[in-house]
Amino acid sequence: MTGVLPVTLEEATKTVQALLHSGKEYICVMKLHGDATEKRVGEVLKEFEDTIYQRPPLRASVKRQLRTRRIYYIDFLEKEKRNVLFKVGCEGGTYIRKLCYDIGEVLGCGAHMQELRRTRAGPFIENGDIVRLHDVAYWFMEWQQKKDERMLRKFIQPMENALTLIPKIYVRDSAVDAVCHGASLTAPGVVSIEGGVSKGSLVAVLTLKGEAVALARAVVATERVLNMEHGIVARVERVLMPRGTYPKAWRSGET
Amino acid sequence: MPRSLAPWEIERKLLVKAEDKTNPRYGCRPEERSAEEYIRYGVINLDKPAGPTSHEVAAWVKRILALQQVGHGGTLEA
């Protein structure tokens, strides 16, 4: 199976949590074990555009308990004999092999996954900036020889790009170092916040220069944050920026 | 019932709570990081080849770039 596999380097590895929650898109060839009309296949695919139940397969890296996964969309593209091509947008952790099996069961004839290509992993898509392993090896070697930073930009992106699909909160310089030390983000530190944050949302905390400071869990919704004068806005889950990047503007000890 | 939107279909508006400026003396815009930092805080949008596992592919990147740690955003089977 091929396609979009974002690889995080060194410190950027702390952002994978955001990627795992950002959804995936695949193009799949499903092989039917019997005959079915194009119309019927299209109808059955649409039935799966919903919250579905899946038990992870025998060979899985997670506990095998029944879990729900959302299928955001599933679009029929083509059918040739018993091969069906479709596109599916789904929650991270959806097993497409299982999905094909289940579609086959509903169709009655049975089916299995023949080919799979991931066309999106969160904000990363297969068009434009996707690179192959040999591009990585080639541009890295070029960079080592010429020390021209443009070579690195041919295949590496800032980790902030991994956070583009989760809601963002921009904070003042004076709030940055406390967050780097794991302190909760409080209302006075917030400069701006994206809409759609609800209690419990995973959010990205960024500086006004656009640097990622931390991944955090919102305690209150966007609307509340805008009117808050004090109190906790989000609790830090993963610090992404090293301490001391911004000056310490908070007092320790007795308050 | 309307279907739920995929994360990339959701449009988010930035709402301003306060005005403030950032001091250029501290930190830097992600695109302006030094080469070493650019790598340390970098992500590669890799096209996984068929055959090896996601884990193996990530390990190759780690070896090519001589890094200590890499991760990947969701297993894509071999």
Side-chain angles (χ1 to χ4, degrees):
Chain A
M1 310 302 132
T2 69
V4 179
L5 180 73
V7 177
T8 55
L9 315 180
E10 309 282 31
E11 295 297 314
T13 301
K14 293 169 185 166
T15 64
V16 288
Q17 188 194 0
L19 283 174
L20 298 177
H21 285 86
S22 303
K24 307 283 192 303
E25 186 191 82
Y26 299 91
I27 295 272
C28 177
V29 178
M30 176 175 68
K31 183 94 169 173
L32 304 180
H33 300 163
D35 295 318
T37 63
E38 201 171 298
K39 183 165 169 284
R40 179 72 186 134
V41 172
E43 284 167 4
V44 171
L45 285 178
K46 277 295 160 209
E47 283 180 36
F48 283 82
E49 202 169 79
D50 201 346
T51 299
I52 61 163
Y53 289 87
Q54 282 194 330
R55 190 182 299 278
L58 273 172
R59 282 178 61 183
S61 51
V62 293
K63 193 175 172 197
R64 296 193 62 227
Q65 58 187 10
L66 201 63
R67 55 190 204 179
T68 61
R69 282 296 179 265
R70 251 176 315 197
I71 305 296
Y72 304 119
Y73 52 83
I74 179 162
D75 299 325
F76 171 86
L77 296 175
E78 244 179 272
K79 180 172 177 288
E80 198 198 51
K81 292 178 185 154
R82 290 181 178 178
N83 291 315
V84 175
L85 187 72
F86 68 87
K87 183 168 82 174
V88 57
C90 57
E91 212 178 330
T94 308
Y95 292 94
I96 306 301
R97 198 175 281 284
K98 279 270 184 215
L99 180 68
C100 289
Y101 178 86
D102 292 340
I103 292 167
E105 292 298 293
V106 174
L107 279 169
C109 60
H112 71 268
M113 185 179 87
Q114 185 76 23
E115 285 282 346
L116 187 72
R117 179 163 173 83
R118 183 148 74 197
T119 50
R120 180 194 274 277
F124 299 102
I125 54 173
E126 69 169 341
N127 312 325
D129 53 25
I130 198 165
V131 293
R132 299 195 177 100
L133 270 173
H134 67 248
D135 296 320
V136 173
Y138 175 78
W139 289 113
F140 186 65
M141 200 182 68
E142 284 283 295
W143 176 70
Q144 282 183 311
Q145 286 170 359
K146 299 181 181 150
K147 291 291 167 192
D148 180 345
E149 285 175 31
R150 280 174 301 182
M151 310 289 168
L152 290 179
R153 290 171 217 284
K154 296 269 189 194
F155 69 102
I156 301 177
Q157 316 182 24
M159 66 171 173
E160 283 75 8
N161 289 5
L163 310 177
T164 50
L165 296 186
I166 61 169
K168 291 173 271 298
I169 300 180
Y170 291 90
V171 302
R172 296 179 201 275
D173 286 2
S174 56
V176 175
D177 202 51
V179 172
C180 289
H181 279 77
S184 294
L185 175 65
T186 53
V190 178
V191 171
S192 56
I193 177 168
E194 284 187 338
V197 174
S198 45
K199 189 179 173 186
S201 299
L202 182 69
V203 297
V205 178
L206 295 123
T207 67
L208 294 174
K209 295 185 188 76
E211 310 150 279
V213 181
L215 290 175
R217 195 62 67 176
V219 177
V220 286
T222 299
E223 299 70 34
R224 273 290 307 284
V225 175
L226 292 170
N227 299 312
M228 274 168 78
E229 280 178 23
H230 50 77
I232 295 173
V233 167
R235 294 187 200 281
V236 170
E237 288 210 343
R238 208 83 165 94
V239 175
L240 303 170
M241 179 183 275
R243 296 173 177 187
T245 306
Y246 278 73
K248 177 177 166 179
W250 40 284
R251 283 181 298 172
S252 54
E254 321 74 76
T255 44
Chain B
M1 207 183 85
R3 69 177 180 88
S4 45
L5 291 175
W8 52 89
E9 295 175 312
I10 300 169
E11 277 187 53
R12 296 186 194 280
K13 228 172 140 177
L14 189 67
L15 303 159
V16 178
K17 177 173 163 69
E19 294 293 334
D20 201 3
K21 284 204 184 84
T22 178
N23 188 334
R25 281 172 60 199
Y26 309 108
C28 72
R29 301 199 311 126
E31 312 78 66
E32 290 164 4
R33 287 183 181 128
S34 67
E36 286 70 24
E37 293 224 310
Y38 191 76
I39 295 172
R40 280 184 72 72
Y41 295 93
V43 183
I44 299 178
N45 180 11
L46 194 74
D47 190 346
K48 181 193 165 294
T53 64
S54 297
H55 194 80
E56 284 166 338
V57 170
W60 288 349
V61 172
K62 181 175 159 180
R63 207 182 55 209
I64 295 168
L65 306 184
L67 302 176
Q68 300 294 312
Q69 197 189 1
V70 296
H72 62 79
T75 305
L76 181 57
E77 66 176 89

